[in-house]
Amino acid sequence: MQHMQSVKTAEIALVLVFRGETEIERRAFAIKETIAIGRDPFTDIILEDPTVSRLHVELRREGDDLVLYDRSSNGTTVNGKSVTRHVIGDRDVISLGRFTLIVELHADSKTSLYEEAHAEGWTMDDDRTIQCAEPVAKPARVEARS
């Protein structure tokens, strides 16, 4: 599996949680500061298992990057390599305890929609309105037949 470097405009992290081959949770986070993952009920993603530390890992925003910090006594791997700190890339596979997490990085939805509209030739007159570059003709009125 090929992994991209971190998505520099990522604002949303989708975290998929697996136990074995079964997906047990899927959570989306706005990447603002820290996403805490562990066994403690006060973490953002709770993994109830004795192989997981109370605070196992933190995902922290650092500039344009999302950085994983291992806070556990049991260790964490990313893409099969043991890490204590790792800059997360799109679709990185994190293993902690009996769980596997896949992190998908997505651009901010509003930003990406505007970028998409620009690429398609649309122009924007303000933050709330998107106008078509070419006026769209109104469909002709169809008369009802009796």
Side-chain angles (χ1 to χ4, degrees):
M1 178 186 293
Q2 185 176 2
H3 298 281
M4 296 171 39
Q5 294 303 312
S6 61
V7 177
K8 294 298 181 190
T9 58
E11 295 296 330
I12 307 293
L14 177 64
V15 180
L16 308 142
V17 180
F18 294 84
R19 179 137 186 203
E21 299 294 317
T22 305
E23 182 177 329
I24 60 171
E25 187 173 0
R26 180 180 291 227
R27 302 270 308 270
F29 295 90
I31 305 169
K32 298 296 180 205
E33 291 180 21
T34 302
I35 302 167
I37 303 169
R39 198 176 72 235
D40 193 285
F42 295 104
T43 56
D44 298 300
I45 297 177
I46 303 167
L47 302 175
E48 294 184 37
D49 191 274
T51 63
V52 175
S53 297
R54 289 183 188 278
L55 175 59
H56 202 103
V57 297
E58 290 179 313
L59 301 176
R60 292 183 166 264
R61 164 67 96 200
E62 292 184 5
D64 288 336
D65 294 323
L66 182 62
V67 182
L68 176 142
Y69 288 94
D70 179 27
R71 304 290 190 216
S72 73
S73 55
N74 294 330
T76 301
T77 64
V78 178
N79 304 324
K81 295 180 183 173
S82 184
V83 299
T84 55
R85 180 188 184 278
H86 178 82
V87 176
I88 294 293
D90 188 42
R91 305 279 308 154
D92 271 351
V93 177
I94 303 167
S95 298
L96 51 138
R98 296 178 183 156
F99 296 90
T100 302
L101 287 70
I102 298 174
V103 179
E104 294 181 359
L105 301 175
H106 299 275
D108 174 46
S109 58
K110 180 179 178 184
T111 302
S112 60
L113 288 174
Y114 276 71
E115 289 169 357
E116 223 175 83
H118 271 299
E120 293 173 2
W122 294 77
T123 57
M124 270 92 27
D125 65 349
D126 66 21
D127 280 345
R128 289 173 274 147
T129 308
I130 298 177
Q131 296 180 341
C132 182
E134 307 260 333
V136 178
K138 247 182 158 177
R141 186 175 173 160
V142 178
E143 296 294 324
R145 293 186 178 170
S146 46

